[in-house]
Amino acid sequence: SSATESNLVQYLADNELREVKVRLNQYAPGGEWSRLFRNRGVGAGWRYTIGMLSCLFYTVLPGRIFGGDSYNPYTDSISLYSDIPSIAIHEGGHAKDFGQREYRGTYAFFYGLPILALYPEGKATGDAIGYIRTYQSSDDEKAAYKILYPAYGTYIGGSIGVFTTYGDLLAAAGAIPGHIAGRRKARHVEDRPAPARVTTVEAPPPAAALASPTHVVSDH
């Protein structure tokens, strides 16, 4: 929806993430391979090994079919297939986190490993909730807790499950304490309207997307 798109575009603009590509329900393997080769923010050694694997997975397992919102640090691209503003901002949080790293390829590799992946996931979740708390209404913050905490619970369960034969089961089970914690946090949020602020950008229509400082490509 335009609301989800606008939320993400505004987040990227507020954090000056001008080079991030955003693909909304789009399958563009050629574009991703091109961005991989041109992304000088990640060392060539990482781009032409792990980065190429990431693009290969993107190519043979289209997100439009298999789903899964994600940020690829090797191409500096966000792919969104759901319509949940807090998840969109969470993926923007990954782009912000990686953009602040001096050795982005090394960071991407080590924090893509089981257990270690919990750090960037937690950081992106915390950043998204903090941003929503600052700039949006209490209802938006409550919704973010109810979505992002269970999602983080699945990361915890999935990381543990890597070392067992019950990975999918543990990932699903991890969402349960996440739901409990998220709803508990939401109950303690005091009601408030969204603070008044000047919106610096609006989500561009598809025809104008490539001319925008933050590239957003829609394919609905």
Side-chain angles (χ1 to χ4, degrees), residues 156-172:
I156 296 175
S159 293
I160 298 172
V162 168
F163 304 103
T164 74
T165 58
Y166 306 102
D168 292 339
L169 180 61
L170 288 174

Side-chain angles (χ1 to χ4, degrees), residues 23 43 53 86 98-100 107 122 126 134 142 157 162 188 207 215:
R23 301 190 185 279
L53 284 175
S86 60
F98 279 90
Q100 295 172 339
Y107 183 78
T134 301
K142 292 174 184 178
V162 168
H188 290 85
H215 295 170

Side-chain angles (χ1 to χ4, degrees), residues 74-100:
Y74 301 102
T75 62
D76 198 18
S77 300
I78 294 172
S79 292
L80 290 180
Y81 307 100
S82 62
D83 190 15
I84 303 173
S86 60
I87 290 181
I89 294 174
H90 173 271
E91 298 303 334
H94 281 305
K96 176 182 175 181
D97 180 24
F98 279 90
Q100 295 172 339

Side-chain angles (χ1 to χ4, degrees), residues 1-8 24 80-85 88 203 218 220:
S1 66
S2 59
T4 297
E5 185 174 352
S6 296
N7 268 271
L8 179 55
L24 305 179
L80 290 180
Y81 307 100
S82 62
D83 190 15
I84 303 173
S218 299
H220 301 299

Side-chain angles (χ1 to χ4, degrees), residues 97 101 107 111 115-124 152:
D97 180 24
R101 305 296 169 178
Y107 183 78
Y111 286 108
I115 303 298
L116 295 181
L118 295 176
Y119 175 79
E121 290 297 340
K123 191 170 180 63
Y152 190 68

Side-chain angles (χ1 to χ4, degrees), residues 37-187:
F37 297 140
R38 293 185 288 109
N39 184 14
R40 298 294 184 266
V42 175
W46 290 117
R47 283 187 288 126
Y48 296 135
T49 53
I50 307 300
M52 292 185 73
L53 284 175
S54 72
C55 282
L56 181 62
F57 280 120
Y58 175 90
T59 301
V60 301
L61 300 172
R64 291 181 68 168
I65 298 175
F66 296 96
D69 304 304
S70 63
Y71 169 70
N72 187 337
Y74 301 102
T75 62
D76 198 18
S77 300
I78 294 172
S79 292
L80 290 180
Y81 307 100
S82 62
D83 190 15
I84 303 173
S86 60
I87 290 181
I89 294 174
H90 173 271
E91 298 303 334
H94 281 305
K96 176 182 175 181
D97 180 24
F98 279 90
Q100 295 172 339
R101 305 296 169 178
E102 182 177 0
Y103 301 106
R104 298 177 190 176
T106 304
Y107 183 78
F109 172 74
F110 281 104
Y111 286 108
L113 298 175
I115 303 298
L116 295 181
L118 295 176
Y119 175 79
E121 290 297 340
K123 191 170 180 63
T125 295
D127 185 85
I129 290 175
Y131 180 85
I132 292 169
R133 182 187 303 121
T134 301
Y135 294 112
Q136 299 183 11
S137 71
S138 58
D139 288 340
D140 295 319
E141 184 182 353
K142 292 174 184 178
Y145 282 124
K146 294 176 182 179
I147 291 292
L148 298 181
Y149 271 39
Y152 190 68
T154 64
Y155 300 138
I156 296 175
S159 293
I160 298 172
V162 168
F163 304 103
T164 74
T165 58
Y166 306 102
D168 292 339
L169 180 61
L170 288 174
I176 297 174
H179 278 292
I180 295 172
R183 291 179 180 278
R184 184 171 296 171
K185 289 286 291 186
R187 283 199 299 269

Side-chain angles (χ1 to χ4, degrees), residues 9-38:
V9 172
Q10 185 67 56
Y11 174 88
L12 296 175
D14 286 342
N15 288 283
E16 300 184 351
L17 298 169
R18 298 184 178 89
E19 302 301 322
V20 178
K21 172 73 77 175
V22 179
R23 301 190 185 279
L24 305 179
N25 195 33
Q26 186 191 48
Y27 177 61
E32 284 300 280
W33 282 98
S34 177
R35 286 185 63 81
L36 174 70
F37 297 140
R38 293 185 288 109

